[in-house]
Amino acid sequence: MSRIVAENMLQGGESVQFYDQRVQQAMEMSQASAYSSPTLGQMLKRVGDVRKEVTGDETPVHRILDMSDTQSISSHSLPFVLSFNNLTYSVKVRRKMSFPAILRRPAAGVSTGDPVAGENLFTSTKFLLNNISGEARDGEIVAVLGASGSGKSTLIDGLANRIAKESLKGTITLNGEPLDSRLLKVISAYVMQDDLLYPMLTVEETLMFAAEFRLPRTLSKSKKKMRVQALIDQLGLRNAAKTIIGDEGHRGVSGGERRRVSIGIDIIHDPIILFLDEPTSGLDSTSAYMVVKVLQRIAQSGSIVMMSIHQPSYRILGLLDRMLFLSRGQTVYSGSPMNLPHFFADFGHPIPDSENRTEFALDLIRELEGSPGGTKSLVEFNKTWENTKRSNENPETLTPTHGLSLKEAISASISRGKLVSGTTSDIHTSPASMVPTYANPFWIEMLVLSKRSFTNSWRVPELFGIRLGAIVVTGFILATMFWQLDDSPKGVQERLGFFAFAMSTTFYTCADALPVFLQERYIFMRETAYNAYRRSSYCLSHAIVSLPALIFLSFAFAAITFWAVGLEGGFSGFLFYFAIILASFWAGNSFVTFLSGVVPSVMLGYTIVVAILAYFLLFSGFFINRDRIPPYWIWFHYLSLVKYPYEAVLQNEFDDPTKCFVKGIQLFDNSPLGNVPNALKEKLLSTMSNTLNVKITSSTCVTTGADILVQQGITDLSKWNCLWITIAWGFFFRVLFYFSLLLGSKNKRR
C-alpha cells in the first residue's frame, strides 16, 4: 500500500515528494529492523518473554494484538495527522492615550473605519494568532520559528489545549476528527521552556517516579525499570543516571542534560503527540543539537513532535522536517526546509549559498517588520505560494492516513504497544473512552507522591534542622524565662503570658511551609495538566508528608517547656499539652499551605501570614476577654486559630477545682495595697470578714483554677472540644487548599 501511495504522491510538488521519501524510508527501516526504535509495548513484551524463559514466571505480560486479520487497517506504520485551521487568538490591550488625544476629533469627511468588536476608547485588540493553519504528521519534527513576540509559544499553547476554548478560535483535528480535550491530555505531552524538576532526585529516580505516575500498575516494577533504562539510553543520559538534578546550592547535571530529563519525564508513557516550548533555549550549540537529535528519534518511533525554536543552527536545520515561520501572529512561510531557498527566491530575496537559511529568513522578516508596510507583502505571497502548491498536488494524497478514522488509528497504535496506560483496543468505543483519564488509582498516586517528597526532602536535612533549631531555641528561652512558676497571683499572670506566647509561636513557626508549594507550584501544574495524577492525591500526600516533622517538632517543644515551666497535670497533662501543640502545628501548617496555593510570591505570602497571625493573637482572648470584645469584632474571635489552643491549655492547667492560686493576704498582691505590711493586710482581712460575715484568714483560698477560667471568659467549650476544633481547622484549610489548586492551576491563557 505504501508503494501505491508513494507513486501517487510523486505526481505532486516537491514537499510532498520529500515527505513520502521520509515515510517510505521510515517504513522500510521499521520492517528491516523490528527493534531499532521499539514502542513501549514491544519493549515490555520482549522483557516479559525473556523473563518467562529465564525464570519460568507466568505473570501476565503486556499483550500485543495481531492485527493481520483486520481488513480495514494497514499492517504498515499508521500515520497520525494533526491539523489546525484558522487559529485566531486575541487579547485586550490598554491604550496609551494622552489628554489631547482624547479630546481630538476626526476631521470632517475622514472615515475612522469600522470599529473592531470589543474595542473602545481605552482598550484595543491585539491578535497574537491571526488565521494560522498547518499540519503535523507522525515521524516528523515541525518547528515553529519567528522573532520574540511573533506568536511561537502562543501557537504551541493553543495546540496543546493551554488556551481556554472560548478564547481560541479555529479548529484542531487529529486524523480529520475534532480533538477532545480529555483525549489530548492522555495521548500528548507538553515540555515547558523551564526545566521544572526536583533538585535532590537523581536522573534515574526522576524518570522512575514519572514512570510510576504515567504507566499503569498492571505493569510490574521490573518492566517499569526496564522502560526507564531504555529511555535513559535513548536520551543519552547513561553517564548522568546516578547524578542529582541539582540547583543553585547543589551541583548537578548540565543544562543540556536537565533539558533531556525534562523531555524524558513527559515521554515516559510514549505519547502520540509531543509539544515543546523552545527546548533548545539557553543551551550551547552541541547540547541543543543533542536535544533535537533525541526529538528526531522520538518522532521516528511514531510520534508527532511540534516545537517552537528561536534560531536553529545549520546542524539542527538538517533534522527538521517542516518549518512554520510566524511574524506578529501571521504565517509567512510553511513547508519543508528544502523549499525555503526556492520560496524566498520567488519572493525576490534569494538566499546566498554562504548563509544559514533560517538566519537569513529571520533577518529578512525582522527587516520587513520594521518597514512601513510590515510583513503584509510576505504574508500575501505565502498565501499565493500555498494555493499554487496545493493546486499542483493530487487530492488523494493530501491525507496520508490510509483512510483510517481516529478510533481505528488509536486502536492500531494500542495494538502495536504505543499506548499502554490501561488502554483498550475496542474500536467500537469513542476515541476519548479508549484511554483512561489517569493511569493509576488514587492510592497508588498518593504513595508515589509521598515517596518522592520524602526522598527529595530527606536529602536536604538542613531545612528540617533549621526548623528544629528554631523550635528548640524558642522552647529553651521560654523554659528559662518562665522557670518553675509558682501558684501566686503573679504566677497566674505569668502562666497566662507563657501560654499566649507559646501557642502563637507554634503558628508563627509554621510559616516555613509557605515556600514549599510555591517552589513546587509549576511542577505540580505541569504534571496535573496532562493527568499524571489527581489534585486530591497531591493534597493528601502533601498533608501526610508534613505530619512526621510536625509530630517530632511538637514533642520537642512540649518536652522542653512542660516540666521546666512547672505546668500542672502530671503525665496525662503532658500528653494533652503535646496533643494541643501538635494540633496547633497541624492547623497552622494547613493554614499556611492554603495561603501558598493563593498568593503568587513568597514575600507577599510572608506579609499576609504575619499580619493574619497577629490578628488571630489579638482576638484570641489573651489581651481582652471575650465578653469585652466589641460586638462587631466578636466574629473574628471565633475565627481566631489561636483562641482554641489557648483556651485548651488554660483549661488543662486550671481545671483542678482543689488547686488554689490566691490565698488570704495574696488577695492584695496585684493591687496598690500589695506593698503594705502583712500585719495591716491581716487587719484588712479581718475587717472584710466582719463585713461579709465570712471568715477570711491568710490561708483561706480565695481564687481556684475554676475562678481563673471564669475571669478569663473561658466557659463555653471544654478542652477536648477546643482540641477537636483545632484539628478540624487543619482539615478545613486542607480542603480550601484543594479548591485553590482546582480553580487556580488550570494553566490556561484567557
Side-chain angles (χ1 to χ4, degrees):
M1 182 174 179
S2 61
R3 181 178 58 81
I4 298 173
V5 173
E7 291 175 355
N8 290 334
M9 293 179 69
L10 284 171
Q11 301 174 10
E14 182 180 354
S15 61
V16 179
Q17 182 180 8
F18 172 74
Y19 170 73
D20 182 69
Q21 290 174 354
R22 295 296 304 268
V23 172
Q24 200 169 14
Q25 291 173 3
M27 290 182 177
E28 292 173 356
M29 290 173 62
S30 176
Q31 294 174 351
S33 178
Y35 303 115
S36 59
S37 58
T39 63
L40 176 55
Q42 293 168 340
M43 182 194 69
L44 293 175
K45 182 178 186 298
R46 296 206 304 273
V47 171
D49 292 343
V50 171
R51 179 183 176 190
K52 291 171 70 176
E53 291 176 2
V54 175
T55 65
D57 184 13
E58 295 298 330
T59 306
V61 296
H62 182 76
R63 182 183 178 190
I64 299 182
L65 301 180
D66 183 8
M67 301 298 292
S68 59
D69 295 334
T70 306
Q71 299 296 328
S72 61
I73 302 177
S74 170
S75 60
H76 295 293
S77 178
L78 303 172
F80 287 91
V81 177
L82 177 68
S83 301
F84 47 97
N85 297 290
N86 303 321
L87 292 187
T88 301
Y89 174 56
S90 60
V91 294
K92 295 292 189 298
V93 180
R94 186 180 297 274
R95 294 181 185 271
K96 294 182 180 179
M97 299 189 66
S98 60
F99 185 72
I102 298 177
L103 299 179
R104 189 181 300 123
R105 297 177 180 273
V110 177
S111 174
T112 59
D114 295 332
V116 178
E119 288 195 358
N120 53 46
L121 185 63
F122 303 102
T123 62
S124 62
T125 301
K126 180 180 180 181
F127 285 90
L128 301 182
L129 297 178
N130 192 353
N131 290 321
I132 304 295
S133 299
E135 67 177 22
R137 304 170 181 177
D138 67 331
E140 293 183 340
I141 298 181
V142 180
V144 184
L145 298 92
S148 297
S150 61
K152 303 187 301 295
S153 297
T154 305
L155 176 59
I156 297 296
D157 286 348
L159 295 175
N161 193 35
R162 293 166 63 86
I163 297 178
K165 288 184 178 180
E166 62 272 13
S167 301
L168 182 67
K169 310 301 180 183
T171 59
I172 302 174
T173 61
L174 184 62
N175 284 27
E177 300 182 22
L179 193 53
D180 180 80
S181 174
R182 176 179 174 273
L183 176 63
L184 179 65
K185 286 185 177 182
V186 181
I187 68 172
S188 69
Y190 181 93
V191 180
M192 297 181 179
Q193 184 173 347
D194 299 323
D195 298 321
L196 305 174
L197 305 168
Y198 283 88
M200 301 313 295
L201 299 181
T202 66
V203 170
E204 186 176 9
E205 288 172 340
T206 301
L207 296 176
M208 192 65 209
F209 280 120
E212 294 284 358
F213 288 132
R214 302 308 299 262
L215 301 182
R217 67 187 183 97
T218 53
L219 297 178
S220 65
K221 190 83 170 180
S222 61
K223 293 178 182 178
K224 292 178 181 178
K225 288 182 179 179
M226 289 298 296
R227 167 58 177 164
V228 169
Q229 296 304 318
L231 187 58
I232 288 175
D233 291 331
Q234 184 182 12
L235 297 171
L237 295 170
R238 176 55 58 192
N239 293 333
K242 301 297 182 181
T243 306
I244 64 170
I245 300 299
D247 56 12
E248 294 83 358
H250 302 86
R251 187 175 179 85
V253 298
S254 66
E257 290 168 337
R258 286 173 63 92
R259 189 60 49 85
R260 279 177 275 162
V261 174
S262 297
I263 296 172
I265 60 179
D266 285 311
I267 66 170
I268 192 74
H269 61 301
D270 208 16
I272 291 176
I273 308 173
L274 179 61
F275 301 105
L276 304 101
D277 184 14
E278 298 202 18
T280 62
S281 176
L283 302 180
D284 59 82
S285 59
T286 302
S287 298
Y289 176 77
M290 293 179 65
V291 168
V292 180
K293 191 67 176 177
V294 168
L295 296 178
Q296 185 187 52
R297 291 198 293 266
I298 295 170
Q300 290 174 350
S301 69
S303 296
I304 298 173
V305 177
M306 191 163 187
M307 66 176 181
S308 62
I309 188 169
H310 185 64
Q311 196 161 345
S313 64
Y314 182 80
R315 291 196 299 167
I316 292 178
L317 184 63
L319 303 177
L320 305 179
D321 299 287
R322 288 173 182 257
M323 304 177 72
L324 181 64
F325 282 85
L326 299 181
S327 174
R328 295 177 180 175
Q330 293 183 298
T331 305
V332 293
Y333 175 75
S334 177
S336 167
M338 297 179 64
N339 292 337
L340 202 60
H342 185 34
F343 174 83
F344 281 100
D346 289 350
F347 182 63
H349 292 77
I351 302 177
D353 295 335
S354 59
E355 289 200 28
N356 184 304
R357 300 174 187 174
T358 56
E359 291 180 1
F360 178 88
L362 292 172
D363 290 342
L364 177 61
I365 292 170
R366 290 192 188 95
E367 182 180 341
L368 292 175
E369 288 176 347
S371 63
T375 56
K376 182 178 180 180
S377 59
L378 187 57
V379 172
E380 295 300 327
F381 177 76
N382 176 66
K383 292 179 181 178
T384 305
W385 170 277
E386 288 289 327
N387 292 333
T388 303
K389 185 176 66 173
R390 194 175 296 111
S391 63
N392 293 332
E393 292 176 343
N394 188 334
E396 297 179 358
T397 66
L398 295 179
T399 307
T401 58
H402 301 177
L404 293 175
S405 67
L406 181 57
K407 291 188 296 183
E408 293 170 334
I410 293 178
S411 179
S413 293
I414 293 171
S415 69
R416 293 187 298 112
K418 186 64 178 174
L419 296 172
V420 295
S421 299
T423 53
T424 172
S425 59
D426 184 4
I427 64 175
H428 299 292
T429 60
S430 64
S433 62
M434 296 178 68
V435 287
T437 304
Y438 299 97
N440 291 284
F442 172 83
W443 62 275
I444 290 289
E445 296 173 351
M446 196 169 60
L447 289 177
V448 176
L449 284 166
S450 301
K451 182 181 178 182
R452 182 177 68 174
S453 184
F454 272 125
T455 304
N456 186 68
S457 58
W458 183 257
R459 292 174 183 167
V460 196
E462 57 268 23
L463 297 181
F464 177 75
I466 292 173
R467 297 178 63 188
L468 180 61
I471 291 295
V472 170
V473 169
T474 303
F476 176 77
I477 293 175
L478 289 176
T480 52
M481 283 288 293
F482 297 93
W483 180 264
Q484 294 298 316
L485 298 178
D486 56 29
D487 296 334
S488 65
K490 289 185 178 180
V492 171
Q493 294 299 320
E494 290 167 353
R495 289 173 193 266
L496 295 177
F498 166 77
F499 287 132
F501 189 87
M503 293 303 104
S504 61
T505 297
T506 58
F507 287 95
Y508 276 109
T509 53
C510 289
D512 65 321
L514 187 68
V516 174
F517 176 72
L518 287 174
Q519 293 172 353
E520 299 179 2
R521 183 199 300 271
Y522 293 104
I523 298 179
F524 165 82
M525 293 172 67
R526 183 202 68 204
E527 293 175 335
T528 55
Y530 287 85
N531 294 354
Y533 48 80
R534 298 166 179 83
R535 292 174 177 83
S536 56
S537 302
Y538 181 86
C539 290
L540 280 178
S541 69
H542 193 282
I544 292 173
V545 169
S546 66
L547 282 177
L550 297 183
I551 294 173
F552 193 86
L553 295 175
S554 302
F555 183 81
F557 185 81
I560 292 173
T561 57
F562 185 83
W563 285 285
V565 176
L567 302 182
E568 300 293 334
F571 186 70
S572 61
F574 168 77
L575 291 180
F576 184 84
Y577 179 67
F578 162 69
I580 195 64
I581 289 178
L582 177 58
S584 301
F585 272 119
W586 161 250
N589 184 272
S590 300
F591 170 69
V592 174
T593 300
F594 160 64
L595 283 182
S596 70
V598 176
V599 298
S601 66
V602 175
M603 292 305 299
L604 179 61
Y606 276 128
T607 302
I608 295 176
V609 167
V610 171
I612 294 180
L613 290 180
Y615 300 148
F616 284 162
L617 180 60
L618 175 63
F619 290 96
S620 64
F622 169 70
F623 294 102
I624 183 172
N625 290 353
R626 183 181 72 246
D627 55 354
R628 300 280 294 172
I629 297 177
Y632 47 83
W633 282 119
I634 195 65
W635 59 272
F636 210 127
H637 170 71
Y638 290 100
L639 291 179
S640 172
L641 295 182
V642 181
K643 160 188 165 62
Y644 301 100
Y646 175 66
E647 293 187 0
V649 290
L650 286 186
Q651 293 186 68
N652 190 53
E653 183 71 12
F654 298 114
D655 63 350
D656 186 359
T658 63
K659 185 72 174 180
C660 186
F661 291 91
V662 180
K663 296 181 180 179
I665 58 176
Q666 290 179 335
L667 184 64
F668 305 102
D669 285 357
N670 291 328
S671 69
L673 301 176
N675 294 327
V676 302
N678 289 338
L680 182 58
K681 292 179 182 178
E682 291 178 355
K683 289 183 179 180
L684 290 173
L685 287 177
S686 177
T687 303
M688 292 172 60
S689 299
N690 294 332
T691 303
L692 299 174
N693 292 321
V694 177
K695 186 177 181 180
I696 304 176
T697 65
S698 58
S699 60
T700 302
C701 182
V702 178
T703 304
T704 63
D707 297 325
I708 293 175
L709 295 178
V710 172
Q711 293 172 7
Q712 297 298 316
I714 303 174
T715 57
D716 56 341
L717 293 171
S718 67
K719 68 177 184 179
W720 291 105
N721 286 336
C722 291
L723 174 63
W724 303 133
I725 291 175
T726 305
I727 296 174
W729 272 119
F731 283 103
F732 174 72
F733 284 117
R734 291 288 172 177
V735 173
L736 291 183
F737 177 55
Y738 168 73
F739 282 109
S740 71
L741 299 185
L742 198 63
L743 300 176
S745 62
K746 298 297 184 183
N747 202 22
K748 288 188 177 184
R749 303 192 193 187
R750 295 288 177 183

